[in-house]
Amino acid sequence: MRADHAQKNDLKPWLKERWVIPPKANAEFVCAMEDVLEVYQRPYDPKRPQVCLDEASKQLVAQTRTPLLAEPGQPLREDYEYERRGTANLFMLFEPLAGQRQVKVTQRRTAVDFANVLRELVDVHYPEADRVVLVMDNLNTHKAASLYEAFEPAEARRLIEKLEIHYTPKHGSWLNMAETELSVLSRQCLDRRIPDRGTLVYEAAIWQDQRNEAVCKVHWQFTTADARVKLHRLYPSIEVG
């Protein structure tokens, strides 16, 4: 029985959440954080579009029995058994100031897959840009060196010179707006059984086009000044004298 004076914010020691918590007084973290926050304060410039990149895996799962269709007062019902059919990888390219995103489905998440996504970014999605300002995390394949694994040196160098890369800090994935967009994709489109890569490509493309037509943007509000106040514990203490 709940006490009359109990509050919603009472401590509940039996509950816990998993969260990536950056260490205190971390100069490397705050340096990368402020670099990304500076990028997010720049005005929109079609010649230097700001694009966030992230990726996620999706398990492919097929039904073993035909689901029972939804009826009035009764949701769709599916058997608890399912058939695993491997995984696929989704790259998210998100331009928050323009409200445009591209979802690329690949079979794997190798350095070569990443390099091909970067070439599409430069040559297909932003061919008129002077340089693409790219924000992403430090995943092991998210390196300019991956371009040299996929292409001849001259081609790799051409692509690198079209990119201005900014990395989010370790334990700072919340700074990558592409991660937020992947979360929306997961909730709105992928939160169900998808049996094969072809279906995943089709469903992701429909979601992508609908979001782009609606011009769903993100207006980033958190600034460096905010960080220096609200996240002051992450900044090293400077002793003068």
Side-chain angles (χ1 to χ4, degrees):
M1 184 174 180
R2 186 177 178 85
D4 293 337
H5 63 278
Q7 301 295 319
K8 288 185 178 179
N9 61 351
D10 285 347
L11 291 177
K12 300 176 181 178
W14 60 91
L15 296 179
K16 63 180 179 180
E17 291 183 349
R18 294 193 181 277
W19 194 256
V20 179
I21 302 174
K24 294 180 180 180
N26 188 324
E28 185 175 351
F29 182 95
V30 297
C31 179
M33 175 184 67
E34 289 201 355
D35 179 58
V36 171
L37 292 177
E38 182 276 330
V39 169
Y40 288 166
Q41 291 304 302
R42 297 179 190 177
Y44 174 71
D45 183 353
K47 286 296 183 179
R48 298 179 71 89
Q50 299 174 26
V51 178
C52 299
L53 181 151
D54 201 2
E55 59 181 290
S57 62
K58 170 63 178 175
Q59 187 176 76
L60 302 176
V61 174
Q63 304 282 8
T64 57
R65 294 176 176 82
T66 303
L68 301 177
L69 298 179
E71 300 174 352
Q74 183 70 57
L76 181 142
R77 288 162 289 173
E78 58 184 13
D79 195 86
Y80 70 92
E81 289 186 351
Y82 55 86
E83 177 187 348
R84 296 180 185 270
R85 291 188 173 179
T87 60
N89 193 62
L90 299 106
F91 285 94
M92 173 68 70
L93 298 170
F94 178 45
E95 187 185 358
L97 294 180
Q100 298 296 298
R101 73 275 299 138
Q102 303 293 329
V103 182
K104 174 75 172 182
V105 179
T106 61
Q107 185 174 353
R108 300 172 299 170
R109 53 158 299 271
T110 66
V112 172
D113 293 308
F114 171 71
N116 282 314
V117 167
L118 289 192
R119 181 154 71 172
E120 285 191 21
L121 172 69
V122 168
D123 292 344
V124 178
H125 302 309
Y126 298 97
E128 303 301 322
D130 293 336
R131 183 168 283 195
V132 178
V133 181
L134 182 62
V135 175
M136 59 183 174
D137 63 20
N138 274 292
L139 192 65
N140 63 328
T141 56
H142 291 180
K143 309 293 182 184
S146 294
L147 293 165
Y148 285 89
E149 293 192 36
F151 310 120
E152 293 294 324
E155 175 68 355
R157 177 49 49 186
R158 178 186 73 85
L159 294 170
I160 289 172
E161 291 178 351
K162 295 284 288 185
L163 297 170
E164 178 189 320
I165 298 175
H166 298 264
Y167 287 106
T168 59
K170 186 178 180 181
H171 305 310
S173 61
W174 55 273
L175 286 159
N176 189 347
M177 286 187 268
E179 181 179 86
T180 303
E181 198 66 11
L182 276 173
S183 178
V184 176
L185 170 63
S186 179
R187 294 194 311 270
Q188 295 182 348
C189 180
L190 305 182
D191 190 20
R192 56 195 173 86
R193 294 177 181 178
I194 296 180
D196 53 65
R197 191 154 65 100
T199 302
L200 180 60
V201 170
Y202 176 76
E203 296 291 343
I206 292 177
W207 175 88
Q208 166 195 291
D209 293 345
Q210 290 177 342
R211 294 276 289 176
N212 286 344
E213 289 173 7
V215 195
C216 297
K217 303 180 182 180
V218 171
H219 297 283
W220 189 267
Q221 301 295 318
F222 192 71
T223 66
T224 298
D226 295 326
R228 291 175 182 175
V229 174
K230 298 179 180 179
L231 301 179
H232 64 90
R233 69 180 184 83
L234 302 180
Y235 287 75
S237 297
I238 307 299
E239 296 184 7
V240 180

